[in-house]
Amino acid sequence: MNDAACLFCRIVERKLPADIVAEEEGLLAFKDVNPQAPIHLLIVPTEHVPSVADLTERQTPLIGRAIHFANRLAHRHQLTPAGYRLVINCGPQAGQSVSHLHLHLLGGRPLRWPPG
Ligand code: AMP
């Protein structure tokens, strides 16, 4: 079930343009419009889930599949063996600005920790 008011649902439905890099069943990967690293992709479920905190037990396997998808994309973008970061922000205090669950894949430069 998609949400007509949701930015990432509109990207999933191809109603809003995005630089889509890959798709597989139930997941879409596209370039972040404001990249924080040379490679900055977002991996989203095609089904609307507002945040990781909203995942039902039925939906939880999506996270494992999203990580597996991200690992393959990292390999495809030559981010291994140097390394990369996977981030899920949950809620406003963590910096979640789009209410559609998304996994950030960041790499291509040294990434500081903690992120601040
Ligand atoms: P977060 O702050 O974790 O919710 O991440 C949301 C991300 O979505 C940010 O890194 C934004 O740059 C990115 N973003 C917002 N709008 C778009 C868009 N239309 N296409 C691609 N990325 C977007």
Side-chain angles (χ1 to χ4, degrees), residues 7-8 11 16-19 30-36 40 42 87-90 94-100 102 104:
L7 187 68
F8 289 172
I11 289 176
L16 202 70
D19 200 340
F30 53 92
K31 291 186 183 175
D32 195 296
V33 79
N34 182 24
Q36 302 302 309
H40 186 172
L42 299 174
V87 175
I88 299 175
N89 294 320
C90 179
Q96 184 179 2
S97 60
V98 179
S99 292
H100 182 126
H102 49 282
H104 295 257

Side-chain angles (χ1 to χ4, degrees), residues 31-115:
K31 291 186 183 175
D32 195 296
V33 79
N34 182 24
Q36 302 302 309
I39 304 295
H40 186 172
L41 304 181
L42 299 174
I43 291 132
V44 307
T46 55
E47 174 180 23
H48 183 75
V49 181
S51 84
V52 74
D54 297 301
L55 278 172
T56 63
E57 196 173 348
R58 177 187 67 80
Q59 292 166 328
T60 299
L62 263 177
I63 288 297
R65 293 189 41 241
I67 290 173
H68 193 243
F69 191 25
N71 287 342
R72 283 182 277 123
L73 289 169
H75 192 72
R76 191 188 303 171
H77 287 83
Q78 284 89 41
L79 299 181
T80 52
Y84 51 95
R85 183 171 293 163
L86 302 178
V87 175
I88 299 175
N89 294 320
C90 179
Q93 201 156 34
Q96 184 179 2
S97 60
V98 179
S99 292
H100 182 126
L101 173 60
H102 49 282
L103 179 64
H104 295 257
L105 165 62
L106 297 140
R109 68 165 173 83
L111 298 165
R112 279 180 295 136
W113 190 263

Side-chain angles (χ1 to χ4, degrees), residues 8-22:
F8 289 172
C9 282
R10 290 171 65 210
I11 289 176
V12 165
E13 291 166 354
R14 313 301 202 266
K15 288 181 177 157
L16 202 70
D19 200 340
I20 293 171
V21 298

